[in-house]
């Protein structure tokens, strides 16, 4: 499939156990607008939001996923090609935090470091029932190279910061990838050129190399 | 759709002027997190881009009244339901539509809102909004018909790249006569690159008409999608490969959409059949059984079911994708209707925790054929999915549903895991109440494996649990009966469960397969099942 994703389009996948508040979280973030279209909606499975950070305007496409255990195996269908993942757990439920750890393992194994991870501990408004300590979650997030935020979809706390951090990192990562690719294109193929075809220049060498691969 | 809603604010004249000519105003708006109103480019013609105009469009919320805003030069505006209405300090009263909103961040990463509005709050021109919107509506490319309209309206002068591409498409189908499962990785990009090439050639050869269709832009995406869909529609091929070259009038001529779909159906007929069997098994399940919120059982999902019923008959992948989107909308409409009727709590929101189960439920009820082939088609054989995240999302839902049903089918299909007549796994058959089996305590609990929620819900297994209480010793033959019988006498049972409505059909599929099993295979299967040993846990085979 031709990869013609717009350079400003970013895909975020929401993962986490069922009923931890993924839907409420994303609805809080996306529906907090003046637009009449958004406010009446009840649908929260696919949402988009346009943001501008610095000079970068981005379209965030947020894909919600079914969190029930029976659908776990379907995860790759949704996180394929994602630029970022928001992993949500319920701070009053240790099981949901364990589930997040499983997702992190799976994402790192299947997608690698390419995907930006952000862990959100939701329902901090129910602080009396808290079962997952903030320090423990932060420590874990740091150990796997993920951001960690505490959120409350009910109170609208921490949501903006969560998505902002995710978006900033995704932009940064894509820019790094782009510059790495362009550097590779400009200089990385020189040795191949020498071996493959003495007469060709850098660009064509890369082209001939890729042709050879396709055959 | 090309519309003002797709406008890039970075090149909007008002935004550019604000940032470059009045950076102090822009910085203040950012620092104070004001509401920045940017009239769409089409409406800003003739608008004096001076400081007064800019100040008029930078709004600060009133500390006293919700929804009321005051501009930097003291005028008041009310914001309500996606509209801005001028209140005081303006020459005339205007109601201006918010076209879209962006969330911008200042240097300290504090957010402030920027809204693109259909008309300036003062001055400028009144865009012919309705006419423009009418025209935009025609510019949608969500279905094949819309793609045709869009492409033909461009009045392309040189369409020779299209003609050449038809030959290439025929060559493609001639080369790839069989789609081998698992070896399609290099096949699908070939079609996509072909369409990319045609689109680029058309743009080059019709430069006068397509000068603003630069690659990667919104217009290019629409054009590229239309080229793909229309080209596939216009390319005629023989239905059967050996009949290449038959006349177009022949009934055996199909277009490339149909041809592609036929090829995929051939490749994935086994998966399609398994899904159909799974659907038969799951037909009587409710939305709750699929994992949706039980309150949603009070919704009427006839709408989405109806849409899915003839889904496989649509030849064009884009039409299929569009239908999937309609199905999602119809699911939401069903829930909204139930909310309005008071059957479902008002605060109900449909995230994927509910949407996917509801979608699978609707799919099972509609029972369209060739679900797996369709999922493959949408996921791998269209390029527009990768250009449109929403289409891609709906295609992913179909894929997820197909995989879920396939998994369900796998669990009920394994013949050796069940005793032939009852569909009960050996361990469970041995633990059934009323069955006196040597060496096995009658109170043994079912193995955890079968109640593991990580597996798709297993109809056969759940049914077994359901019927435990109703089963009698005289009920169909068990594994014990089979073991007692000598090899010659042993016949694979032909009876199915009759204890619950629908179960006869449900197990018919299993029964048929098992009837075909030879005795030797059956014995081998039983051996390989790692049956409990005689050491107190089970029966020696």
């Amino acid at each position: 499939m031709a990869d013609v994703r717009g350079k400003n389009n970013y895909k975020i996948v929401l993962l986490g156990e069922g009923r931890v508040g993924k839907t409420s979280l994303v609805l809080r973030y996306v529906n907090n607008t003046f637009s009449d279209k958004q406010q009446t909606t009840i649908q929260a499975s696919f949402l988009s939001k346009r943001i501008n950070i610095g000079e970068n305007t981005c379209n965030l496409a947020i894909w919600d996923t079914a969190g029930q255990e029976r659908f776990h195996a379907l995860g790759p269908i949704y996180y394929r090609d994602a630029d970022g993942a928001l992993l949500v757990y319920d701070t009053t439920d240790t099981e949901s935090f364990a589930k997040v750890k499983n997702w992190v393992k799976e994402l790192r194994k299947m997608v690698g470091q390419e995907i930006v991870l952000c862990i959100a501990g939701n329902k901090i408004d129910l602080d009396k029932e808290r079962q997952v300590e903030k320090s423990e979650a932060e420590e874990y997030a740091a150990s796997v190279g993920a951001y960690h935020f505490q959120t409350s979809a009910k109170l609208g706390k921490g949501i903006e910061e969560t998505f902002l951090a995710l978006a900033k990192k995704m932009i940064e990562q894509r820019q790094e990838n782009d510059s790495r690719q362009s550097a590779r294109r400009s200089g990385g193929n020189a040795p191949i050129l020498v071996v493959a075809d003495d007469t060709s220049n850098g660009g064509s060498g890369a082209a001939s190399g890729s042709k050879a691969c396709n055959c | 759709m090309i519309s003002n809603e797709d406008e890039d604010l970075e090149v909007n004249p008002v935004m550019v002027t604000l940032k470059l000519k009045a950076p102090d105003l822009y910085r203040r708006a950012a620092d104070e997190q004001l509401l920045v109103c940017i009239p769409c480019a089409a409406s800003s013609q003739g608008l004096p881009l001076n400081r007064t105009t800019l100040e008029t469009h930078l709004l600060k919320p009133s500390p006293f009244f919700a929804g009321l805003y005051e501009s930097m030069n003291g005028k008041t505006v009310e914001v309500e339901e996606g509209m801005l209405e001028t209140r005081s300090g303006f020459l005339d009263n205007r109601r201006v539509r918010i076209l879209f909103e962006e969330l911008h961040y200042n240097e300290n990463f504090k957010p402030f809102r920027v809204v693109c509005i259909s008309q300036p709050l003062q001055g400028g021109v009144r865009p012919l909004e309705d006419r423009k919107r009418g025209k935009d509506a025609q510019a949608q490319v969500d279905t094949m018909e819309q793609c045709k309209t869009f492409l033909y309206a461009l009045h392309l002068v040189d369409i020779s790249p299209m003609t050449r591409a038809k030959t290439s498409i025929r060559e493609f189908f001639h080369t790839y006569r069989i789609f081998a499962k698992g070896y399609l990785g290099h096949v699908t990009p070939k079609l996509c690159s072909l369409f990319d090439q045609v689109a680029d050639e058309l743009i080059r050869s019709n430069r006068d008409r397509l000068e603003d269709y630069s690659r990667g832009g919104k217009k290019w995406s629409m054009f590229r999608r239309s080229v793909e869909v229309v080209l596939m529609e216009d390319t005629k091929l023989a239905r059967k490969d050996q009949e290449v070259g038959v006349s177009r009038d022949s009934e055996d001529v199909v277009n490339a959409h149909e041809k592609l779909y036929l090829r995929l159906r051939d490749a994935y007929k086994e998966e399609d059949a398994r899904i159909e069997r799974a659907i038969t098994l799951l037909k009587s399940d409710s939305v709750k059984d699929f994992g949706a919120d039980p309150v949603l059982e009070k919704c009427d999902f006839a709408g989405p079911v109806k849409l899915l019923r003839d889904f496989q008959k649509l030849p064009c992948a884009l039409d299929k994708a569009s239908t999937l989107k309609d199905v999602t909308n119809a699911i939401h409409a069903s829930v909204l209707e139930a909310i309005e009727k008071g059957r479902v709590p008002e605060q109900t929101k449909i995230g994927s925790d509910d949407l996917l189960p509801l979608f699978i439920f609707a799919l099972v009820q509609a029972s369209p054929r060739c679900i797996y082939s369709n999922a493959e088609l949408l996921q791998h054989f269209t390029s527009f999915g990768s250009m449109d995240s929403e289409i891609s999302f709906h295609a992913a839902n179909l894929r997820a549903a197909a995989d879920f049903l396939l998994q369900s089918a796998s669990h009920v299909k394994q013949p050796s895991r069940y005793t032939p007549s009852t569909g009960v796994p050996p361990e469970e058959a041995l633990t059934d109440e009323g069955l006196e089996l040597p060496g096995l305590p009658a109170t043994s609990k079912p193995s955890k494996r079968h109640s593991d929620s990580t597996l798709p819900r297993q109809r056969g297994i759940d049914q077994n649990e359901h019927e435990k209480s109703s089963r009698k010793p005289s009920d169909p033959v068990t594994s014990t009966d089979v073991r007692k019988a000598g090899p010659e006498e042993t016949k694979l049972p032909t009876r199915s469960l009759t204890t619950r409505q629908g179960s006869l059909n449900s197990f018919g599929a299993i029964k048929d397969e098992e009837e075909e099993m030879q005795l030797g295979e059956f014995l081998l299967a039983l051996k390989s099942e790692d049956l409990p040993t005689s050491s107190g846990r089970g029966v020696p085979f």
Side-chain angles (χ1 to χ4, degrees), chain A residues 32 42 50 52 67 70 78, chain B residues 100 103 113 289 350 353 397:
Chain A
N32 193 17
I42 59 158
R50 208 138 95 161
N52 182 292
R70 69 176 78 178
Y78 292 93
Chain B
F100 65 87
L103 197 64
R113 293 168 171 194
D289 294 328
I350 303 295
D353 281 349
N397 278 340

Side-chain angles (χ1 to χ4, degrees), chain B residues 295-346:
Chain B
V295 297
L296 298 172
E297 286 193 327
K298 291 169 187 162
C299 303
D300 177 9
F301 293 108
V305 171
K306 192 179 172 194
L307 282 169
L308 281 166
R309 200 156 280 150
D310 294 327
F311 172 72
Q312 88 279 0
K313 290 181 189 165
L314 297 166
C316 171
L318 183 62
D319 287 339
K320 288 175 196 278
S322 190
T323 302
L324 290 179
K325 191 175 168 183
D326 291 344
V327 168
T328 304
N329 290 337
I331 289 173
H332 293 132
S334 302
V335 178
L336 267 177
E337 192 188 345
I339 291 173
E340 280 166 14
K341 289 179 178 171
R343 293 186 199 148
V344 169
E346 209 171 305

Side-chain angles (χ1 to χ4, degrees), chain B residues 31-42:
Chain B
D31 291 345
E32 296 180 19
Q33 297 174 269
L34 304 184
L35 173 62
V36 180
C37 302
I38 305 293
C40 67

Side-chain angles (χ1 to χ4, degrees), chain A residues 1-11 16-24 27 29 31-37 39-46 48-59 61-74 76-78 80-81 160-161 163-164 167-168 214, chain B residues 5-10 19 35 69 79 81-82 98-105 109 111 113 115 188-189 192 196 215 220 224 288-293 328 332 335-336 339 348-357 360 379-380 382-383 386-387 389-390 392-393 396-397 399-400 403-404 407 453-457:
Chain A
M1 189 168 7
D3 184 13
V4 280
R5 284 185 302 166
K7 64 174 183 177
N8 296 326
N9 295 335
Y10 293 85
K11 175 177 163 184
E17 200 171 48
R19 322 289 170 197
V20 291
K22 299 190 295 292
T23 305
S24 307
L27 273 174
Y29 178 62
N31 279 6
N32 193 17
T33 68
F34 293 114
S35 167
D36 51 345
K37 278 185 290 184
Q39 281 172 358
T40 52
T41 189
I42 59 158
Q43 88 93 11
S45 49
F46 176 87
S48 59
K49 179 135 177 150
R50 208 138 95 161
I51 63 166
N52 182 292
I53 304 171
E55 294 302 310
N56 301 292
T57 301
C58 325
N59 296 311
I62 306 167
W63 290 35
D64 192 12
T65 61
Q68 293 94 323
E69 190 62 35
R70 69 176 78 178
F71 299 125
H72 183 101
L74 307 174
I77 295 167
Y78 292 93
R80 197 171 65 105
D81 296 333
E160 193 76 54
E161 294 84 343
F163 281 95
L164 174 63
K168 275 163 67 180
N214 285 337
Chain B
E5 295 181 23
D6 297 310
E7 186 173 326
D8 183 359
L9 287 183
E10 291 302 304
K19 281 186 168 178
L35 173 62
Y69 287 76
V79 183
E81 291 183 354
I98 295 175
L99 299 173
F100 65 87
E101 180 178 331
E102 286 182 0
L103 197 64
H104 287 228
Y105 291 88
F109 295 109
R113 293 168 171 194
V115 291
T188 51
C192 292
D196 280 348
R215 194 174 174 128
W220 182 84
R224 166 68 178 70
K288 184 183 147 196
D289 294 328
F290 286 104
D293 191 332
T328 304
H332 293 132
V335 178
L336 267 177
I339 291 173
T348 305
K349 303 284 180 196
I350 303 295
S352 285
D353 281 349
D354 292 316
L355 180 71
L356 185 59
I360 297 172
Q379 193 179 8
H380 296 301
T382 62
S383 54
S386 62
M387 294 182 219
S389 194
E390 191 167 2
S392 190
F393 176 76
N397 278 340
R399 173 95 235 178
D403 283 3
F404 177 83
Q407 279 177 288
S453 61
T454 61
L455 298 174
R457 206 169 153 276

Side-chain angles (χ1 to χ4, degrees), chain A residues 54-128:
Chain A
E55 294 302 310
N56 301 292
T57 301
C58 325
N59 296 311
L60 304 181
I62 306 167
W63 290 35
D64 192 12
T65 61
Q68 293 94 323
E69 190 62 35
R70 69 176 78 178
F71 299 125
H72 183 101
L74 307 174
I77 295 167
Y78 292 93
Y79 63 63
R80 197 171 65 105
D81 296 333
D83 299 284
L86 179 59
L87 303 133
V88 188
Y89 69 93
D90 177 352
T91 52
T92 67
D93 178 7
T94 46
E95 284 285 310
S96 67
F97 186 56
K99 185 76 191 288
V100 161
K101 289 179 178 176
N102 286 343
W103 276 120
V104 170
K105 268 186 216 161
E106 183 174 332
L107 288 169
R108 287 293 183 225
K109 190 177 168 191
M110 305 300 288
V111 192
Q113 300 295 322
E114 293 294 303
I115 190 164
V116 179
L117 302 184
C118 189
I119 299 172
N122 195 31
K123 303 192 186 177
I124 55 165
D125 48 291
L126 303 172
D127 204 38
K128 284 178 185 171

